[in-house]
Structure formats: structure tokens, C-alpha cells
């Protein structure tokens, strides 16, 4: 059968969402009234509704050269990658608005280049590095990873990036560098969502040093072989596949080597709901909903309903690679 040879990303979005359903949802949107419930990595908006409100398809970026295939292939995930159009149009990026469809349109005119990343703290080679100088010495790899959002939806994304460990080794962290802290650009002229106090700006995140050095942890600069779309965190974002999506901070301008556990945005905003570790764990529910299942973006269940169907895997399926780092830790306490 011909269709079986086609890659997921060759499938047009019109085939994923039959046109009639798409139009029906648009009509529903026009007539339905929505009570916005404010804040959360957690507003339970269905992807169908978010996609129905977008007016244009994502813009493709420049092809990235010299990308090698990593050990984390599509076959190792065992799932088809989520089509490009969905990865680049269903986003969480509060700097460009809180709706899932907002970053696509609100980030359209964002100009990521030129870009610098400040490296500071307990490290041998601190400084302000041009994006190019930060990336150039390293080999770009493609890595197909699961992404599991705390809101119980998930995707499979073919990222392009470099292991964070390679950059850390090159920078030479000192003996007091127990954690790595990350910061997103703070400039409300370029990121209009920052004009509103949705969360405290800038967005900040952090990892323990062993988590940062874990071979899975990626600094992504692209997806689907192309330069990272603005809405996915251009020009450089973190990808930590065994943790909930909010740990994967976008548009990074600062990486600091610190001694104490750094503050993280969602923990600051709602400490009872979001901890520092945020490891994907089906056994530890969010206080307001189960983490036992997930809804795959683009999956058949999204067409008619919003029920989470697929069981969530411990550490998002990366247990073998990461479980040893948490041995002896009570993961219900360190959530
Ligand atoms: N700076 C910044 N990074 C962020 C966010 C954000 O709002 N701002 N949202 C996070 C959340 S909650 C998720 S699920 C992922 C979504 O990444 P994607 O849009 O590429 O799928 O980005 C994370 N990184
Ligand atoms: Mo998220």
C-alpha cells in the first residue's frame, strides 16, 4: 500500500483534520462562549479548538546543514512524529500569549537574530557568546523525542540540536556548580505577552547538574531539519524529554552555573502544582487532574472528543536512561 510508505510529515493537515470537521469546529467556535479561566501551564483547552482558531499555516524555516542522525530515532520512540503543522501551531509560549494558537500569529514578526547567550556563575569560560559561536563547535543531531505537557497532551517531535552536556563541558563548570539555571529573553517590545503580568518575567528554569549533563538533555536549534520556528522557542531552547514540557525553556539568553536550586517559573507561580523536578510520572497526579493518561496531538481521539487515551509512561518512556538519577528520592515529595 502506497500510503504506508509515506512519512507522517508528508501528510497534509487537511488529511489529518477532515475539512468538514474543521469547518464544523470553526462554526462551533463562533457560536460558543468561552469563560477564560486565567492562568496555568494548565488551561484545559482542547487542541481541536486551538487549531480551529488559527488563520494561517506555519511558515517553514531554512534547512539546517550537516545534521547527523542520533541514537534517538523515530523507531526508538515507536510512534509517528506529530506533523509539522501541529508541532508549529499548538504551542505554549506565554511570551506570545496564553492561548495555544497565539504564539503562531503573535511570534510571526519576532526576529531572533542576532542573538547572544550569556554564560555566567561558577564556570571557567564565562562570557556573552554569539549564537553562532555557541553552536558552531558542536555536531548537530536529529533526535526524535516524546514531549509530554503537564496538561496531559503529548507530541512526538524530531528536534535538531546539540547535547547540553557538550556545551557544559566546553564551558568548564567549577566545583560549586551544582545546578544550571536558564533564562528566557525579557523584552516586551519583542515579546508582547510580557506586557501582561501572566507570570513573573523573565521565564526561568533549572536543572540539577546531573540532569543537565544527562545525554538526553538537548539544546535544540531546529525541528524537522529546519531552523526552529519562532513559536517553538527560536533560536535556542532546552528539551528535557523525561520532564513535563514546561521544563523545556524557550528562547534562552542566559545559562548560569549556580550552587543552590534555582527558582523556576511554574513553581514560583503555583508551588503546590508544579515542583522543581517535574519528572513525568503517571503515579503522581497533578492536584487538579490525573497524570495517568495523555492525549496525543493529532491523534484520532482529538477529532470527536478530548479524552486522554494513551497511558503515560514513567519518565515519559525514558526510565532506563534517567531512573538512576533519582534512586532513593521520594518522587511524590520531589514532584
Ligand atoms: N520561555 C518559555 N518557555 C516555555 C514556555 C513558555 O511559556 N515560555 N512554555 C513551556 C510549556 S508549558 C511547554 S508544554 C513547552 C511547549 O513547547 P512547544 O510549543 O515547542 O511544543 O514549552 C515550554 N517552554
Ligand atoms: Mo506545558
Amino acid at each position: 500500500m502506497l500510503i504506508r510508505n509515506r512519512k507522517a510529515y508528508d501528510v497534509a493537515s487537511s488529511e489529518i483534520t477532515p475539512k468538514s470537521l474543521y469547518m464544523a469546529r470553526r462554526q462551533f467556535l463562533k457560536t460558543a462562549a468561552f469563560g477564560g479561566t486565567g492562568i496555568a501551564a494548565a488551561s484545559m483547552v482542547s487542541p481541536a479548538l486551538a487549531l480551529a482558531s488559527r488563520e494561517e499555516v506555519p511558515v517553514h524555516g531554512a534547512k539546517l546543514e550537516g545534521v547527523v542522525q542520533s541514537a534517538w530515532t523515530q523507531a526508538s520512540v515507536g510512534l509517528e512524529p506529530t506533523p509539522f503543522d501541529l508541532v508549529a501551531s499548538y504551542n505554549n509560549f506565554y511570551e506570545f500569549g496564553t492561548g495555544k494558537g497565539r504564539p503562531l500569529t503573535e511570534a510571526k514578526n519576532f526576529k531572533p537574530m542576532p542573538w547572544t547567550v550569556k554564560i555566567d556563575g561558577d564556570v571557567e569560560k564565562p562570557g556573552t557568546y554569539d549564537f553562532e559561536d555557541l553552536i558552531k563547535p558542536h555536531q548537530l543531531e536529529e533526535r526524535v523525542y516524546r514531549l509530554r505537557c503537564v496538561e496531559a497532551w503529548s507530541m512526538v517531535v524530531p528536534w535538531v540540536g546539540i547535547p547540553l552536556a557538550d556545551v557544559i563541558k566546553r564551558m568548564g563548570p567549577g566545583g560549586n556548580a551544582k545546578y544550571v539555571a536558564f533564562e528566557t529573553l525579557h523584552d516586551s517590545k519583542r515579546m508582547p505577552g510580557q506586557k501582561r503580568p501572566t507570570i513573573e518575567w523573565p521565564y526561568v528554569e533549572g536543572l540539577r547538574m546531573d540532569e543537565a549533563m544527562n545525554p538526553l538533555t538537548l539544546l535544540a536549534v531546529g525541528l524537522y531539519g529546519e531552523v526552529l520556528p519562532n513559536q517553538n522557542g527560536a533560536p535556542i531552547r532546552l528539551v528535557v524529554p523525561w520532564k513535563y514540557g514546561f521544563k523545556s525553556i524557550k528562547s534562552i539568553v542566559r545559562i548560569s552555573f549556580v550552587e543552590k536550586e534555582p527558582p523556576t517559573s511554574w513553581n514560583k507561580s503555583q508551588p503546590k502544582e508544579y515542583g522543581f523536578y517535574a519528572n513525568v510520572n503517571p503515579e503522581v497526579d497533578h492536584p487538579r487532574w490525573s497524570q495517568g493518561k495523555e492525549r496525543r496531538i493529532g491523534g484520532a481521539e482529538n477529532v470527536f472528543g478530548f479524552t486522554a487515551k494513551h497511558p503515560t509512561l514513567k519518565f515519559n518512556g525514558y526510565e532506563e536512561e534517567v531512573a538512576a538519577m533519582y534512586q532513593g528520592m521520594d518522587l511524590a515529595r520531589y514532584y
Side-chain angles (χ1 to χ4, degrees):
M1 231 170 86
L2 259 176
I3 276 181
R4 296 185 69 190
N5 292 328
R6 293 171 69 192
K7 299 197 183 85
Y9 39 86
D10 290 331
V11 180
S13 58
S14 60
E15 288 181 57
I16 296 148
T17 307
K19 183 103 188 217
S20 55
L21 284 165
Y22 176 82
M23 296 312 282
R25 274 204 304 271
R26 286 193 61 82
Q27 197 50 46
F28 171 68
L29 251 192
K30 279 185 195 151
T31 49
F34 286 92
T37 48
I39 191 152
S43 50
M44 305 298 274
V45 178
S46 91
L49 293 176
L51 287 171
S53 67
R54 78 185 161 96
E55 297 297 336
E56 53 217 307
V57 294
V59 178
H60 284 256
K63 266 263 168 286
L64 288 163
E65 304 292 330
V67 180
V68 300
Q69 183 63 64
S70 74
W72 292 277
T73 58
Q74 180 185 327
S76 72
V77 176
L79 295 168
E80 287 281 300
T82 308
F84 175 91
D85 272 12
L86 295 176
V87 175
S89 65
Y90 186 77
N91 301 102
N92 262 347
F93 199 173
Y94 275 25
E95 286 83 344
F96 295 104
T98 53
K100 297 289 184 288
R102 299 306 289 174
L104 170 65
T105 50
E106 297 291 311
K108 204 169 55 186
N109 298 320
F110 180 70
K111 293 204 172 32
M113 293 300 166
W115 191 266
T116 57
V117 179
K118 184 178 177 185
I119 308 279
D120 63 0
D122 185 19
V123 65
E124 274 168 34
K125 296 176 192 155
T128 299
Y129 291 81
D130 264 344
F131 173 81
E132 287 292 330
D133 298 334
L134 191 71
I135 301 307
K136 220 186 300 158
H138 305 284
Q139 173 67 57
L140 288 179
E141 303 176 13
E142 175 167 283
R143 297 195 175 186
V144 184
Y145 280 165
R146 292 165 180 267
L147 182 146
R148 169 55 159 83
C149 180
V150 75
E151 292 165 88
W153 52 264
S154 66
M155 293 188 185
V156 176
V157 184
W159 302 105
V160 176
I162 55 178
L164 176 62
D166 289 3
V167 175
I168 293 179
K169 283 181 210 150
R170 185 174 138 221
M171 297 300 160
N176 292 324
K178 304 276 194 277
Y179 294 87
V180 184
F182 304 86
E183 218 174 278
T184 294
L185 176 68
H186 188 187
D187 180 349
S188 63
K189 286 200 193 75
R190 298 171 71 189
M191 296 182 149
Q194 291 177 337
K195 290 186 178 126
R196 293 179 291 275
T198 349
I199 58 168
E200 194 187 321
W201 309 110
Y203 196 102
V204 289
E205 258 305 336
L207 295 172
R208 216 169 58 187
M209 184 55 89
D210 60 336
E211 298 178 320
M213 291 295 290
N214 188 282
L216 279 175
T217 308
L218 193 71
L219 274 175
V221 298
L223 53 80
Y224 272 106
E226 299 176 5
V227 167
L228 205 57
N230 289 341
Q231 59 273 26
N232 294 92
I236 184 164
R237 55 95 53 90
L238 193 64
V239 182
V240 195
W242 71 96
K243 292 177 182 280
Y244 292 116
F246 66 85
K247 295 294 287 183
S248 293
I249 182 172
K250 295 174 168 178
S251 304
I252 297 167
V253 292
R254 185 177 176 193
I255 302 176
S256 308
F257 294 87
V258 298
E259 184 161 16
K260 295 207 175 68
E261 187 183 284
T264 63
S265 280
W266 283 103
N267 178 252
K268 284 200 296 185
S269 158
Q270 284 145 295
K272 293 220 166 63
E273 302 192 4
Y274 309 109
F276 174 80
Y277 283 92
N279 292 319
V280 174
N281 192 342
E283 293 152 25
V284 178
D285 287 338
H286 181 278
R288 292 187 279 136
W289 61 82
S290 162
Q291 293 292 20
K293 287 183 179 166
E294 65 200 55
R295 184 166 36 80
R296 288 195 196 127
I297 300 301
E301 71 266 31
N302 290 309
V303 176
F304 295 110
F306 319 129
T307 325
K309 275 196 175 157
H310 303 280
T312 286
L313 304 173
K314 190 133 189 221
F315 297 114
N316 201 24
Y318 301 97
E319 188 166 10
E320 213 174 285
E321 288 101 323
V322 303
M325 292 193 289
Y326 308 104
Q327 233 154 37
M329 270 176 77
D330 178 356
L331 295 179
R333 178 160 175 226
Y334 296 100
Y335 56 94

